[in-house]
Amino acid sequence: MKKFLALLMVLTMTFSLAACGSKEESSTDAAKTEETAEEAAEEEPAEETTDGAGYTIGICQLVQHEALDAATQGFKDALTEELQDAVSFDEQNAQGDSNTCSTIINSFVSNDVDLILANATPALQAAAAGTNEIPILGTSVTEYGVALEIEDFDGTVGGNISGTSDLAPLDGQADMLKELFPDAKNVGLLYCSAEANSQYQVDTISGYLEEMGYACKMYAFSDSNDLSSVTTTAASECDVIYVPTDNTVASNTAIIDNICRPAGVPVVAGEEGICAGCGVATLSISYYDLGVATGKMAAKILTGEADISEMPVEYAPQFTKKYNAQICEDLGVSIPDDYVAIESAE
């Protein structure tokens, strides 16, 4: 009996120790699991958010040239400064093709971007045709009423469209031409007929020039393929040539310069980039600053501070008389003291 009781006590103690060991192992495993989770959390911190706001901006630029590039860069810089890491850009260039603008815009609509920047008139027209819901801001667009076929345009497009205009005062440009070339008789107006805003500019400035006593003649080209032949004709028939803010011209200034400078015919340009390539003088704006103004508009729209349907189109706040020193020297053109020399890109 004593042996039986002793054996029973031994078995009881063995089972008790086994149970304690199991509990300790479970506690240890739980502790290790918790420690591993904490380490993982330290090694892979949760992704930072921006109060739930992450914005994707689709940028459709018609073609690559100095003015449009500057406007796009100003837009991106301003919007990034306003929204920091909360904004990203899908930037695409249509290489001068209006149909490609439409393809780009359709991709933005399919991807449901938060806002579209349409840089140049054909890009704006494609965006307007592509969506009436996604906010659209234009830039480097001369006249929104003309571009969007709005009669009696009062400065506000309404709906989902607004933006900035690159229109320098056309009467001021006519005054500048008169100041530099008072003895000229015939002024040729060289422009791309495929760009509605170019047509608007030459139609408008011709009225001012004719009031000043100049005889004006239109020289329209359809694309870069006939630019050379049309420019050659204009240079042979005119004392001075005026070119508006025209994207096809801006992308092909060397063609114009190689014809007009040897012929001794000065070119007055609608903007600085064209003047730097083939002109003697311009009444110009800063396209970078225009882009900055557009970027600030975008920030207000995205954050809900402003309603795009109520935002009027904004214009450049100041204009500067500038001249191309080298071409002026080659053609013997005297420039008044209040003109600023265009800085060489070299």
Side-chain angles (χ1 to χ4, degrees):
M1 186 65 175
K2 289 181 179 179
K3 289 181 179 181
F4 174 75
L5 291 173
L7 179 59
L8 183 59
M9 290 178 65
V10 170
L11 291 173
T12 302
M13 291 177 65
T14 300
F15 287 133
S16 297
L17 290 172
C20 289
S22 178
K23 290 179 181 178
E24 289 176 0
E25 288 176 3
S26 298
S27 299
T28 302
D29 290 342
K32 287 182 178 179
T33 301
E34 184 176 352
E35 182 180 351
T36 302
E38 290 176 354
E39 290 176 354
E42 292 177 358
E43 292 175 359
E44 300 180 6
E47 184 178 347
E48 292 184 2
T49 63
T50 53
D51 296 328
Y55 306 106
T56 300
I57 311 301
I59 299 176
C60 178
Q61 181 173 317
L62 173 64
V63 67
Q64 184 175 7
H65 64 67
E66 184 177 345
L68 300 191
D69 291 348
T72 292
Q73 191 61 53
F75 173 82
K76 291 167 63 179
D77 289 349
L79 194 50
T80 300
E81 182 177 351
E82 294 284 340
L83 300 180
Q84 302 297 319
D85 295 337
V87 63
S88 62
F89 302 98
D90 182 357
E91 184 176 348
Q92 300 192 38
N93 193 298
Q95 304 300 327
D97 189 342
S98 298
N99 292 328
T100 303
C101 284
S102 298
T103 301
I104 292 171
I105 295 299
N106 289 338
S107 72
F108 291 160
V109 174
S110 296
N111 294 331
D112 195 25
V113 299
D114 296 290
L115 183 142
I116 294 172
L117 174 71
N119 193 347
T121 298
L124 176 66
Q125 292 169 331
T131 177
N132 59 7
E133 295 180 357
I134 297 174
I136 299 168
L137 287 176
T139 192
S140 312
V141 176
T142 304
E143 174 56 48
Y144 281 72
V146 173
L148 300 175
E149 299 182 347
I150 303 172
E151 294 185 6
D152 300 322
F153 179 61
D154 62 1
T156 300
V157 177
N160 63 323
I161 300 174
S162 188
T164 56
S165 168
D166 62 356
L167 179 63
L170 293 169
D171 56 349
Q173 294 186 39
D175 290 340
M176 184 180 65
L177 191 149
K178 179 70 173 178
E179 179 180 38
L180 296 177
F181 307 105
D183 298 327
K185 303 298 182 183
N186 302 305
V187 177
L189 305 174
L190 181 65
Y191 69 100
C192 180
S193 58
E195 298 191 33
N197 274 315
S198 295
Q199 183 74 61
Y200 166 80
Q201 291 174 82
V202 296
D203 285 345
T204 303
I205 199 170
S206 65
Y208 295 126
L209 292 171
E210 287 170 353
E211 289 178 0
M212 295 174 178
Y214 293 105
C216 296
K217 184 175 179 179
M218 304 286 185
Y219 294 89
F221 56 91
S222 58
D223 54 37
S224 59
N225 294 321
D226 61 344
L227 174 59
S228 178
S229 61
V230 173
T231 302
T232 299
T233 301
S236 68
E237 298 177 349
C238 301
D239 304 312
V240 181
I241 290 176
Y242 172 80
V243 292
T245 56
D246 183 294
N247 290 296
T248 308
V249 169
S251 300
N252 297 277
T253 55
I255 293 176
I256 298 173
D257 187 45
N258 290 336
I259 294 169
C260 292
R261 196 178 340 184
V265 178
V267 175
V268 174
E271 59 94 4
E272 182 176 341
I274 295 175
C275 188
C278 65
V280 293
T282 183
L283 182 61
S284 189
I285 67 169
S286 166
Y287 276 82
Y288 179 85
D289 290 347
L290 197 69
V292 168
T294 317
K296 291 180 178 179
M297 294 174 72
K300 292 179 180 178
I301 293 165
L302 293 170
T303 59
E305 184 179 343
D307 181 350
I308 190 171
S309 67
E310 299 176 355
M311 298 178 79
V313 171
E314 296 187 11
Y315 294 81
Q318 61 183 16
F319 309 94
T320 305
K321 291 181 177 180
K322 292 193 172 185
Y323 71 100
N324 185 319
Q326 186 60 61
I327 296 181
C328 285
E329 181 180 346
D330 291 345
L331 297 182
V333 177
S334 298
I335 298 295
D337 293 338
D338 60 338
Y339 284 64
V340 177
I342 296 173
E343 295 182 5
S344 174
E346 299 178 356

